[in-house]
Amino acid sequence: MPEGDTIWQVAHRLHAALAGQVLTRADLRVARFATADLTGRTLLDVTPRGKHLLARIEGGLTLHSHLRMEGAWRIYATGERPRGGPDHQIRAILGNVRSTAYGYRLPVLELIRTAEESRAVGHLGPDLLGPGWDPEEAVRRLCADPARPLGEALLDQRNLAGIGNVYKSELAFLAAVSPWLPVGDLGPDVPARLVATAHRLLEANKDRPDRRTTTTRFPGTPLHVYGREGRACLRCGTRIRRADAEAGNGDRITYWCPGCQPGPTRSTPAASPTPRTQPND
């Protein structure tokens, strides 16, 4: 699933191509909204909210989409043949005289009233890349359930919006704590440091073509642990390990360094939290 910085980039590409322009083509290939006619309306802006995209349209309407694992928006010059996948995978088309955006494999696509956007994104915590970023509130939410494993708490978009699996693993490494450590067992300064680091990293990466969390410039080392299973830790030399996702508990693939991140692992959990629905979107 794309991280918040990736969604920020998608939103800004869509905004540059569509905002301020009259829609000459608008096709929503979802049964509920297939008859909606948006042509002739001006697309006002495209705004990211965590991992959600909000395309606001003249007349008080918002096209809300979420990419999840498979979705994508592709932009082409109007008249150019799209190449983002088979035509039957296109869920939305928004075009003007210059550019046309195609939404492929979008698992979430709905047309809502702009005044009712909170119905789609009101559950989200502070947005790491939003104008109203509130680190104190993010820390409060992150620590609200002391028994919850850190990695799970970081992925919960109700705590802070924009962290995905890459940043989950990288943040736990940078804090030198196990991703399975209950947040209540973190040192007193660690939650605020985690939140500040998350904000710094997403801000630094939102304009980069390739995400980086390390300062080293050795080839092939943009990340500390994510995707580096079996390779030497850049800090201590211990082999990076990977734990695959477990069904039913909201967990995902996790990478960590046993040398730098002491504490519980999935095979030796520190607590047994009640299974819950994981609001990772």
Side-chain angles (χ1 to χ4, degrees), residues 14-71:
L14 288 170
H15 184 89
L18 302 175
Q21 302 294 317
V22 174
L23 292 171
T24 56
R25 186 180 183 188
D27 185 1
L28 305 183
R29 299 179 180 179
V30 176
R32 183 180 173 191
F33 305 107
T35 60
D37 184 9
L38 302 176
T39 57
R41 299 176 187 244
T42 299
L43 192 145
L44 304 175
D45 68 80
V46 181
T47 298
R49 179 73 171 90
K51 300 181 184 182
H52 298 250
L53 291 162
L54 303 171
R56 298 179 179 120
I57 299 166
E58 181 184 14
L61 297 175
T62 294
L63 186 65
H64 166 231
S65 62
H66 193 296
L67 305 185
R68 291 193 178 160
M69 296 295 292
E70 301 296 332

Side-chain angles (χ1 to χ4, degrees), residues 18 49 68 93 128 176-177 185 253:
L18 302 175
R49 179 73 171 90
R68 291 193 178 160
I93 303 173
L128 283 153
V177 295
D185 292 347
I253 294 172

Side-chain angles (χ1 to χ4, degrees), residues 34-128:
T35 60
D37 184 9
L38 302 176
T39 57
R41 299 176 187 244
T42 299
L43 192 145
L44 304 175
D45 68 80
V46 181
T47 298
R49 179 73 171 90
K51 300 181 184 182
H52 298 250
L53 291 162
L54 303 171
R56 298 179 179 120
I57 299 166
E58 181 184 14
L61 297 175
T62 294
L63 186 65
H64 166 231
S65 62
H66 193 296
L67 305 185
R68 291 193 178 160
M69 296 295 292
E70 301 296 332
W73 280 98
R74 299 282 185 260
I75 303 169
Y76 301 93
T78 293
E80 182 182 1
R81 175 150 184 85
R83 301 176 300 279
D87 286 352
H88 72 266
Q89 294 182 349
I90 298 174
R91 296 289 179 267
I93 303 173
L94 299 174
N96 55 49
V97 294
R98 299 182 308 178
S99 303
T100 301
Y102 296 82
Y104 286 88
R105 303 171 297 278
L106 299 174
V108 176
L109 183 71
E110 59 176 348
L111 189 64
I112 59 177
R113 292 287 178 187
T114 301
E116 298 175 356
E117 285 180 357
S118 61
R119 180 172 61 81
V121 297
H123 66 287
L124 299 175
D127 188 343
L128 283 153

Side-chain angles (χ1 to χ4, degrees), residues 42-257:
T42 299
L43 192 145
L44 304 175
D45 68 80
V46 181
T47 298
R49 179 73 171 90
K51 300 181 184 182
H52 298 250
L53 291 162
L54 303 171
R56 298 179 179 120
I57 299 166
E58 181 184 14
L61 297 175
T62 294
L63 186 65
H64 166 231
S65 62
H66 193 296
L67 305 185
R68 291 193 178 160
M69 296 295 292
E70 301 296 332
W73 280 98
R74 299 282 185 260
I75 303 169
Y76 301 93
T78 293
E80 182 182 1
R81 175 150 184 85
R83 301 176 300 279
D87 286 352
H88 72 266
Q89 294 182 349
I90 298 174
R91 296 289 179 267
I93 303 173
L94 299 174
N96 55 49
V97 294
R98 299 182 308 178
S99 303
T100 301
Y102 296 82
Y104 286 88
R105 303 171 297 278
L106 299 174
V108 176
L109 183 71
E110 59 176 348
L111 189 64
I112 59 177
R113 292 287 178 187
T114 301
E116 298 175 356
E117 285 180 357
S118 61
R119 180 172 61 81
V121 297
H123 66 287
L124 299 175
D127 188 343
L128 283 153
L129 293 177
W133 167 239
D134 186 342
E136 290 79 16
E137 177 63 12
V139 170
R140 186 193 69 78
R141 293 186 181 214
L142 187 67
C143 298
D145 184 350
R148 199 172 192 187
L150 172 63
E152 186 180 319
L154 286 171
L155 285 177
D156 190 336
Q157 301 299 294
R158 295 173 301 186
N159 292 336
L160 56 168
I163 291 178
N165 215 31
V166 177
Y167 282 116
K168 175 202 74 176
S169 294
E170 294 294 297
L171 288 166
F173 174 83
L174 290 167
V177 295
S178 165
W180 295 281
L181 186 71
V183 293
D185 292 347
L186 295 170
D189 65 327
V190 174
R193 183 154 47 91
L194 275 164
V195 166
T197 301
H199 183 240
R200 175 177 59 81
L201 288 177
L202 266 76
E203 280 285 348
N205 283 301
K206 69 181 185 181
D207 292 317
R208 290 176 177 167
D210 299 305
R211 182 180 295 118
R212 174 173 289 276
T213 64
T214 66
T215 56
T216 179
R217 294 298 173 181
F218 292 125
T221 58
L223 303 175
H224 292 281
V225 292
Y226 190 86
R228 300 190 69 245
E229 176 191 8
R231 299 176 65 184
C233 173
L234 300 174
R235 182 183 290 159
C236 75
T238 303
R239 296 295 175 185
I240 301 300
R241 294 183 61 187
R242 163 179 162 161
D244 288 333
E246 281 189 346
N249 69 351
D251 205 355
R252 295 194 187 170
I253 294 172
T254 300
Y255 296 87
W256 85 105
C257 171

